[in-house]
């Protein structure tokens, strides 16, 4: 992160005023990515979500044999879980988070697409949602990442090192079956974390979610 900041302004090295400005900018970028979790909101949603699911669906089916394999994988020491998921609707994130949390795997960090409402974005962040910084939402090439890309790299490294489950959605809802640009950006962060030695390895879990009628 320091290298990315100094490359944009070489005069910032040793300049306390410039360093303070860069620290404020880094905190702003980090605030766009995530927010502190709210235990109260998590408890309320954990209580409310089953009631919502019973209103939306007749039933929810899980493959228990595969879930047992995931539970065994979660007990692997020092290796984080990364869930790569199909994406059928905006209900996918809360549904998968509820399943993992109720099975004792832990509260995951869930990558979220663009949401127009700032209030909804803030709520999802308090529940474990993470977003691309605004500087990367428009330019997703390696050359234009700059400071937002460096902060995002370090953030994903911290998530993986703390063994928080990470959920990546590979496509946008109701879009063609192709890797979405935001998903490519998140996957690049995970790959870099392994290549840089931040974590020795990751366990990749493919997840398929299907609906008789997508909500």
């Amino acid at each position: 992160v320091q290298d990315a900041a100094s490359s944009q302004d070489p005069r910032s090295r040793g300049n306390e005023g410039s360093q303070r400005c860069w620290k404020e900018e880094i905190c702003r970028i980090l605030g766009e990515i995530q927010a502190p979790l709210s235990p109260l909101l998590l408890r309320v949603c954990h209580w409310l979500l089953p009631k919502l699911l019973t209103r939306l669906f007749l039933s929810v089916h899980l493959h228990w044999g595969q879930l047992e394999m995931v539970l065994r994988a979660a007990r692997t020491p020092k290796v984080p879980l990364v869930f790569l998921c199909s994406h059928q609707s905006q209900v996918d994130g809360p549904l998968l988070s509820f399943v993992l949390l109720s099975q004792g795997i832990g509260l995951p960090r869930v990558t979220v697409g663009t949401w127009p409402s700032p209030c909804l974005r803030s709520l999802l962040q308090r529940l474990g949602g993470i977003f691309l910084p605004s500087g990367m939402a428009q330019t997703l090439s390696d050359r234009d990442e700059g400071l937002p890309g460096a902060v995002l790299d370090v953030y994903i490294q911290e998530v993986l090192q703390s063994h928080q489950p990470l959920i990546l959605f590979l496509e946008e809802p109701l879009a063609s079956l192709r890797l979405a640009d935001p998903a490519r950006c998140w996957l690049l962060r995970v790959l870099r974390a392994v290549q840089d030695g931040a974590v020795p390895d990751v366990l990749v879990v493919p997840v398929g979610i299907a609906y008789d009628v997508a909500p």
Side-chain angles (χ1 to χ4, degrees), residues 37-146:
L37 298 175
S38 170
L40 176 60
L41 277 175
L42 289 169
R43 284 195 294 268
V44 169
C45 288
H46 195 72
W47 171 80
L48 188 62
L49 192 57
K51 295 174 173 55
L52 175 64
L53 293 176
T54 56
R55 294 295 185 94
L56 285 176
F57 310 117
L58 294 175
S59 61
V60 178
H61 299 279
L62 298 175
H63 193 296
W64 288 108
Q66 294 178 357
L67 187 57
E68 289 175 358
M69 294 173 62
V70 174
L71 291 172
R72 288 198 301 270
R75 293 191 288 269
T76 304
K78 298 182 179 180
V79 179
L81 290 175
V82 177
F83 295 85
L84 302 183
C85 312
S86 59
H87 203 7
Q88 303 296 320
S89 83
Q90 302 295 357
V91 181
D92 297 346
L95 176 62
L96 192 52
S97 296
F98 173 74
V99 170
L100 297 180
L101 189 59
S102 64
Q103 295 300 315
I105 295 177
L107 181 71
R109 287 291 184 171
V110 185
T111 60
V112 185
T114 56
W115 289 78
S117 168
C119 293
L120 185 56
R121 179 184 179 122
S122 178
L123 174 64
L124 292 173
Q125 285 182 320
R126 296 287 182 177
L127 296 173
I130 55 177
F131 294 77
L132 289 176
S134 57
M136 299 184 63
Q138 293 82 19
T139 57
L140 294 174
S141 67
D142 293 346
R143 296 185 300 276
D144 300 324
E145 287 176 351

Side-chain angles (χ1 to χ4, degrees), residues 70 72-84 153 155-168 186-206:
V70 174
R72 288 198 301 270
R75 293 191 288 269
T76 304
K78 298 182 179 180
V79 179
L81 290 175
V82 177
F83 295 85
L84 302 183
D153 277 335
Y155 175 76
I156 291 298
Q157 289 179 11
E158 290 290 333
V159 168
L160 297 176
Q161 287 173 345
S162 62
H163 299 155
Q164 297 180 67
L166 180 63
I167 296 178
L168 306 181
W186 290 111
L187 286 170
L188 180 61
R189 265 67 224 173
V190 175
L191 180 61
R192 285 179 180 171
V194 177
Q195 290 178 335
D196 294 344
V199 289
D201 201 357
V202 295
L203 288 173
V204 176
V205 182

